[in-house]
Amino acid sequence: NAGVTQTPKFRILKIGQSMTLQCAQDMNHNYMYWYRQDPGMGLKLIYYSVGAGITDKGEVPNGYNVSRSTTEDFPLRLELAAPSQTSVYFCASSYLDRGYNEQFFGPGTRLTVL
Amino acid sequence: AQSVSQHNHHVILSEAASLELGCNYSYGGTVNLFWYVQYPGQHLQLLLKYFSGDPLVKGIKGFEAEFIKSKFSFNLRKPSVQWSDTAEYFCAVNDAGGGNKLTFGTGTQLKVEL
């Protein structure tokens, strides 16, 4: 199993540009998550999904959108990039079984908005 | 809302020294607790987890953590650190609410010197 994969690894955007961060998992996990990591701030949840077709906002959703059309994929969309969105983005997935919720993380996407 | 505090932001130790990293959470109900590690340039990996049962949990690489419910704490320990333990350590709590979301602490940067 590849686990959780993310593309691209690095990206530089200009202010106002749009892009989609891709995330896929091959573990048949029902739950998927997007986090951003900023220095000294830990990880903040952007959006999450409990299954195909179901998404919900996390702690910091403004400026982002998500969709979950399949179990495997959970792309994150930035519509109008802003410098405040410069961060490292991590996708994670988990399988909810009797309340267990160990999350498995992807390698991250480092995004810079100039 | 759940909050997680990691009081040590930066820790510098010599090899073979003992390690204890503090973690306190705010939610008083049933929680699942995790410690994740992020080695330089890598994604988060699970060190150990507590769901129920014995409050002393053993993880990978000689790490352990103790859940003390009365103190809302889940401190991470290792008797003798190695240079390869240099990494950032995150405590996380899942309060078993909707979406089984994790709330992360701000992280502790550990540097182990030879």
Side-chain angles (χ1 to χ4, degrees), chain A residues 19-70:
Chain A
M19 79 164 293
T20 299
L21 282 67
Q22 301 292 344
C23 174
Q25 53 90 11
D26 62 359
M27 297 175 283
N28 200 32
H29 285 173
N30 48 356
Y31 283 50
M32 295 187 75
Y33 310 82
W34 273 107
Y35 294 90
R36 58 177 290 170
Q37 183 184 26
D38 300 299
M41 301 293 289
L43 279 78
K44 301 290 186 186
L45 182 66
I46 305 171
Y47 271 95
Y48 68 99
S49 168
V50 301
I54 307 170
T55 62
D56 206 348
K57 296 178 181 178
E59 188 179 352
V60 290
N62 291 346
Y64 307 94
N65 276 302
V66 293
S67 60
R68 182 104 181 264
S69 56
T70 66

Side-chain angles (χ1 to χ4, degrees), chain A residues 31 33 35 37 40-43 45 48 50 90 96 99-103 105-107, chain B residues 32 34 36 38 42-44 46 49 51 88 90 94 98-102 104-106:
Chain A
Y31 283 50
Y33 310 82
Y35 294 90
Q37 183 184 26
M41 301 293 289
L43 279 78
L45 182 66
Y48 68 99
V50 301
F90 288 100
L96 186 65
Y100 290 5
N101 187 36
E102 175 184 341
Q103 292 187 15
F105 285 81
Chain B
N32 299 328
F34 305 81
Y36 281 87
Q38 186 177 30
Q42 296 189 26
H43 61 283
L44 276 77
L46 184 70
K49 59 192 177 189
F51 291 134
E88 191 159 17
F90 294 94
N94 164 18
N100 281 284
K101 302 181 291 294
L102 288 179
F104 282 84
T106 53

Side-chain angles (χ1 to χ4, degrees), chain B residues 17-46:
Chain B
S18 63
L19 169 72
E20 180 159 5
L21 301 182
C23 173
N24 289 91
Y25 61 94
S26 61
Y27 182 67
T30 301
V31 291
N32 299 328
L33 299 153
F34 305 81
W35 275 98
Y36 281 87
V37 61
Q38 186 177 30
Y39 297 103
Q42 296 189 26
H43 61 283
L44 276 77
Q45 303 170 43
L46 184 70

